[in-house]
Amino acid sequence: MNSIAIFCGSALGTDSIFLDTAQKMGKAIAEQGKTLVYGGGRSGLMGVVADSALQAGGQVIGVIPHALVDRELAHPHLTELYVVNNMHERKTKMSELSDAFIALPGGAGTLEEIFEQWTWAQLGIHLKPCAFLNVEGFYDDLLKFIHLTTQKGFTQARFTESIIASDSIEDILQQFKTFQAPQPKWGMANQQDLVK
């Protein structure tokens, strides 16, 4: 596993622990010699995690749509920055570049990104792990809801159980090393057919 995608807020949130955790996340990825892949922005937790990885000597790849570059939201000091046409291309490119995905605290965009990757794993588009860094219980209610979808017959148990959730960065990174992907829903699918 050489690269890890981080999904997180473009705001800092109301609690300083979110900023602190983003700093620790970027540093941990860099110190393990992994490449950080993220949305390419300089604001909020996105900017914090990128800055932290860069300061620790890590490689950071950003993927950002033209519209956000034009609004001067692109981070100016990344190892590499891909500028794409839209949000759909952004998520596809981030998936291609990454070996695993972690959601830090964030809002609708963060949730949409991690859920899409988890969905793609269920369909066999990729076999990569998805994780929630559950900072001070931030994702407790969401994780309960995910389990409810299994109880009510909408998500197969093996996919719910494949989600990695922890309040420890080190624990998540360790679980990535031993991750075993569940059997996809209908066997291996053709990625190009499903994401285009």
Side-chain angles (χ1 to χ4, degrees), residues 58-101:
Q59 302 290 304
V60 179
I61 299 175
V63 185
I64 193 168
H66 282 289
L68 296 183
V69 172
D70 295 342
R71 295 173 187 159
E72 300 183 341
L73 296 176
H75 196 296
H77 304 300
L78 303 179
T79 308
E80 191 169 4
L81 180 67
Y82 289 90
V83 180
V84 295
N85 291 321
N86 52 53
M87 296 294 284
H88 298 292
E89 288 186 14
R90 175 198 238 178
K91 290 178 291 182
T92 300
K93 188 64 177 179
M94 289 180 70
S95 184
E96 291 171 354
L97 292 169
S98 305
D99 299 311
F101 310 92

Side-chain angles (χ1 to χ4, degrees), residues 14-73:
T14 57
D15 195 322
S16 62
I17 194 171
F18 300 142
L19 185 151
D20 181 60
T21 300
Q23 290 176 329
K24 289 177 180 176
M25 185 84 257
K27 183 180 180 184
I29 290 173
E31 288 181 344
Q32 289 203 8
K34 311 299 183 187
T35 297
L36 168 66
V37 178
Y38 87 117
R42 57 179 169 78
S43 62
L45 298 185
M46 292 176 65
V48 172
V49 73
D51 287 339
S52 178
L54 291 167
Q55 290 165 9
Q59 302 290 304
V60 179
I61 299 175
V63 185
I64 193 168
H66 282 289
L68 296 183
V69 172
D70 295 342
R71 295 173 187 159
E72 300 183 341
L73 296 176

Side-chain angles (χ1 to χ4, degrees), residues 100-120:
F101 310 92
I102 303 175
L104 274 63
T110 299
L111 296 178
E112 189 265 344
E113 289 168 329
I114 191 67
F115 270 101
E116 182 160 54
Q117 295 307 323
W118 182 45
T119 300
W120 287 7

Side-chain angles (χ1 to χ4, degrees), residues 177-191:
K177 295 177 183 178
T178 59
F179 178 75
Q180 296 288 322
Q183 177 68 28
K185 205 167 185 179
W186 295 291
M188 291 301 294
N190 184 310
Q191 179 172 0

